[in-house]
């Protein structure tokens, strides 16, 4: 079936910052005469097969807040329950799909834009896609949310203090940033914009962080309550 022609052409205002060429090349459509092609097997068929609903669990927070730990613990827990999940992790995607990107605001925006599109494909495939990225800019996260309909974008904010993250510092990056050896490190000399309306917020209680399995359990409960783990 041939469908809607894809809009092309007019560019929507000036992108911010010095890396304008990158942003324009990635968000302004360049092709014309392209058409959407629908396939006979759709998302609902795949969801029925998998007995679950596709969604994106988007984990955001400072470096060291526990994003990868939660992503992997949640992925393992879902696997144990017979649910198909896939983890997209910032560090990992920067080894491949996003290896041309750095940490300037424009590069982070493009990183998140690409991941949002990939996550949307995984959700369309019927999987629980677990995306674990600092994603420091609210606007970039909201653009990803806008790609998903009907509440299937679930933003999880790991609201851990900078003090805790810096004390953990498993990769020694905060130490390098404090010494001025890494410039533009999130939380030190680069911004982190906390979510205003996330679905799940996980934070320290009396200065203690919940265990990885408690964090994962909180997300599983949400997914169960909203019906994502059933047909
Ligand atoms: N300048 C700077 N700021 C923040 N983080 C940095 C930086 N340079 C390298 N790193 C490492 O990159 C990991 C974050 O990648 P992300 O793709 O999640 O970042 S972003 O969402 O585009 O902001 C991040 O991984 P996590 O510690 O797992 O968050 C760091 O290991
Ligand atoms: N809930 C937790 N309780 C205790 N330690 C944790 C918890 N989550 C993560 N950690 C530890 O904190 C460090 C940073 O976690 P990580 O998942 O790599 O964070 P991020 O992906 O956000 O950079 C790791 O050493 C990890 O073992």
């Amino acid at each position: 079936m041939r469908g809607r022609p894809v809009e092309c052409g007019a560019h929507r205002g000036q992108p911010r910052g010095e890396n304008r060429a990158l942003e324009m090349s990635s968000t302004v459509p360049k092709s014309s005469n392209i058409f959407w092609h629908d396939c006979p097997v759709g998302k609902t068929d795949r969801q029925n097969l998998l007995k679950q609903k596709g969604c994106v669990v988007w984990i955001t927070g400072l470096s060291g807040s526990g994003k990868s730990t939660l992503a992997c613990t949640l992925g393992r827990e879902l696997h144990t329950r017979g649910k198909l999940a896939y983890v997209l992790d910032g560090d990992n995607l920067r080894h491949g799909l996003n290896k041309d990107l750095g940490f300037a605001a424009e590069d982070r925006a493009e990183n998140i834009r690409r991941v949002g599109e990939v996550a949307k494909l995984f959700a369309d495939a019927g999987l629980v896609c677990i995306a674990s990225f600092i994603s420091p800019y609210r606007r970039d996260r909201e653009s990803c949310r806008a790609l998903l309909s009907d509440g299937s974008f679930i933003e999880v904010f790991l609201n851990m203090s900078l003090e805790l993250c810096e004390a953990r510092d498993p990769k020694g990056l905060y130490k390098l940033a404090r010494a001025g050896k890494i410039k533009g490190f999130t939380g030190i000399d680069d911004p982190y914009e906390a979510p205003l309306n996330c679905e799940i917020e996980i934070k320290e209680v009396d200065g203690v962080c919940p265990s990885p399995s408690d964090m994962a359990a909180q997300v599983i409960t949400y997914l169960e309550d909203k019906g994502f783990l059933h047909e």
Side-chain angles (χ1 to χ4, degrees):
M1 274 176 287
R2 295 274 164 200
R4 331 182 271 281
V6 174
E7 230 179 67
C8 149
H11 115 254
R12 305 172 292 270
Q14 294 295 319
R16 65 191 169 188
E18 70 247 0
N19 213 346
R20 187 163 167 254
L22 171 66
E23 189 163 342
M24 287 195 62
S25 68
S26 55
T27 58
V28 178
K30 279 187 177 163
S31 36
S32 53
N33 300 316
I34 49 173
F35 296 83
W36 190 265
H37 190 97
D38 279 323
C39 290
V41 177
K43 183 177 182 183
T44 308
D45 303 302
R46 292 186 286 274
Q47 293 186 150
N48 289 342
L49 190 71
L50 294 169
K51 300 189 182 353
Q52 61 185 57
K53 293 199 179 73
C55 63
V56 174
V57 176
W58 189 281
I59 306 170
T60 174
L62 292 173
S63 175
S65 58
K67 300 182 298 299
S68 304
T69 303
L70 171 57
C72 292
T73 309
L74 177 60
R76 193 186 52 215
E77 182 59 31
L78 287 167
H79 186 80
T80 303
R81 290 167 178 244
K83 301 298 164 190
L84 195 55
Y86 193 82
V87 175
L88 301 174
D89 188 87
D91 268 328
N92 294 356
L93 265 72
R94 283 174 174 277
H95 280 86
L97 177 68
N98 294 332
K99 67 178 165 194
D100 57 326
L101 301 175
F103 290 91
E106 292 79 9
D107 284 34
R108 293 186 199 251
E110 175 61 7
N111 182 32
I112 299 313
R113 187 193 71 79
R114 290 181 195 173
V115 173
E117 293 286 354
V118 172
K120 180 184 174 181
L121 294 176
F122 274 101
D124 188 57
L127 277 72
V128 177
C129 180
I130 306 166
S132 153
F133 293 79
I134 296 177
S135 43
Y137 296 107
R138 213 173 278 140
R139 187 179 87 156
D140 300 337
R141 295 192 303 266
E142 287 307 310
S143 298
C144 294
R145 177 186 291 277
L147 293 173
L148 276 296
S149 59
D150 55 37
S152 61
F153 183 89
I154 300 140
E155 191 175 8
V156 180
F157 175 30
L158 284 191
N159 187 4
M160 303 304 155
S161 63
L162 177 62
E163 292 67 33
L164 176 70
C165 297
E166 199 167 352
R168 286 176 171 169
D169 203 9
K171 303 169 194 159
L173 297 179
Y174 281 103
K175 206 170 172 199
L176 290 173
R178 288 287 186 197
K181 291 179 182 158
I182 299 179
K183 303 284 184 208
F185 196 77
T186 306
I188 303 298
D189 56 349
D190 226 45
Y192 178 80
E193 299 173 358
L196 300 175
N197 280 308
C198 59
E199 280 71 15
I200 301 172
E201 179 177 358
I202 299 175
K203 54 184 175 185
E204 296 151 77
V205 180
D206 298 327
V208 179
C209 178
S211 70
S213 57
D214 283 349
M215 297 197 297
Q218 204 173 323
V219 180
I220 296 267
T221 300
Y222 182 93
L223 294 174
E224 266 176 350
D225 288 350
K226 298 288 178 186
F228 287 106
L229 303 185
H230 311 281
E231 274 175 71

